[in-house]
């Protein structure tokens, strides 16, 4: 007798919700609507390798300030941009809900 066929992995994935229709005035922010996160394609990953002592100090500083390490890194990137006369445009990604 043959073993029953196993379900595929795709059967375990929840379907994505349907996208909400875009408002007519995309450029204008409504006062009653919270700003939305940028589309995932607008986010880029940056990888930085640092020595152990530097990593420990940065994680300790983030703990002392009670902020996530990622927020501290975004602040550092914006400080570097400002130092060199560029606009501080680095934004932290929004948490997935």
């Amino acid at each position: 007798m043959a073993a029953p066929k196993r379900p595929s992995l795709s059967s375990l994935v929840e379907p994505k919700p349907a996208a909400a229709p875009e408002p007519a005035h995309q450029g204008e922010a409504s006062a009653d609507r919270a700003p939305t996160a940028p589309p995932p394609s607008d986010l880029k990953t940056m990888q930085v390798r640092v020595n152990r002592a530097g990593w420990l100090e940065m994680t300790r500083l983030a703990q002392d300030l009670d902020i996530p390490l990622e927020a501290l890194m975004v602040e550092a990137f914006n400080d570097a941009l400002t130092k060199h006369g560029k606009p501080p445009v680095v934004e932290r990604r929004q948490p997935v809900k």
Side-chain angles (χ1 to χ4, degrees), residues 5 9 27 34 36 56-57 72:
K5 187 175 179 181
L9 291 176
T36 58
L56 287 170
E57 287 302 318
L72 185 60

Side-chain angles (χ1 to χ4, degrees), residues 45-88:
T45 300
M46 297 175 77
Q47 183 175 358
V48 178
R49 293 189 180 269
V50 297
N51 62 350
R52 184 169 183 80
W55 180 81
L56 287 170
E57 287 302 318
M58 292 302 289
T59 55
R60 285 184 190 137
L61 180 58
Q63 289 173 352
D64 291 347
L65 298 173
D66 196 28
I67 61 174
L69 182 59
E70 184 177 344
L72 185 60
M73 298 280 64
V74 167
E75 181 181 335
F77 285 128
N78 280 324
D79 287 348
L81 288 171
T82 302
K83 174 183 171 184
H84 294 284
K86 305 291 183 184

Side-chain angles (χ1 to χ4, degrees), residues 22-26:
E22 292 291 324
H25 303 288
Q26 293 178 0

Side-chain angles (χ1 to χ4, degrees), residues 38-47 70 77 90-91 93:
S41 62
D42 190 37
L43 298 175
K44 301 295 180 195
T45 300
M46 297 175 77
Q47 183 175 358
E70 184 177 344
F77 285 128
V90 179
E91 293 179 355
R93 65 185 169 99

